Amino acid sequence: MSAAKPSATIRYTALRILIFVACFFVSGVAVHFGLVPAGLGGSNLIWVILLGLVLSAPLSYVLLRKQRDEMSAQLISTVDRTKARLEENRAREDAVQ
């Protein structure tokens, strides 16, 4: 892991949550002012959450491509280091036997 950068996974997750909260807020305002139909009965909150999710998913996919690639690279390097350590441990065990 790079000492200069915080965890790419944490940054990506925080940005995803931020995009969802913004979409949730926009959806709530749109439903409140009648720009988007309200949910049935008491389902208005669920409807706004679903609208926020539906809006935030494609936005996150497009806007967070760089962060997703950084996170992927970081995870791949972590997995590679772990595999190398496991292989090294196996080689040491084989040498001892």
Side-chain angles (χ1 to χ4, degrees):
M1 222 175 354
S2 173
K5 288 187 172 184
S7 172
T9 304
I10 293 172
R11 272 195 337 267
Y12 176 76
T13 304
L15 289 171
R16 285 281 316 250
I17 291 170
L18 184 65
I19 289 173
F20 168 73
V21 169
C23 289
F24 175 75
F25 177 75
V26 169
S27 298
V29 169
V31 167
H32 179 74
F33 288 110
L35 301 172
V36 177
L40 299 175
S43 70
N44 206 32
L45 179 63
I46 294 170
W47 172 246
V48 174
I49 290 171
L50 287 174
L51 281 174
L53 285 171
V54 167
L55 291 174
S56 69
L59 284 174
S60 294
Y61 183 75
V62 172
L63 297 175
L64 300 180
R65 178 168 292 151
K66 178 183 167 198
Q67 287 81 8
R68 191 171 46 253
D69 290 344
E70 288 175 6
M71 180 179 67
S72 176
Q74 191 176 58
L75 290 172
I76 287 171
S77 69
T78 302
V79 168
D80 288 344
R81 282 194 311 269
T82 303
K83 284 181 180 179
R85 272 186 267 150
L86 284 172
E87 190 58 40
E88 184 180 310
N89 287 341
R90 281 192 198 123
R92 267 193 249 145
E93 287 176 5
D94 290 344
V96 171
Q97 294 176 354

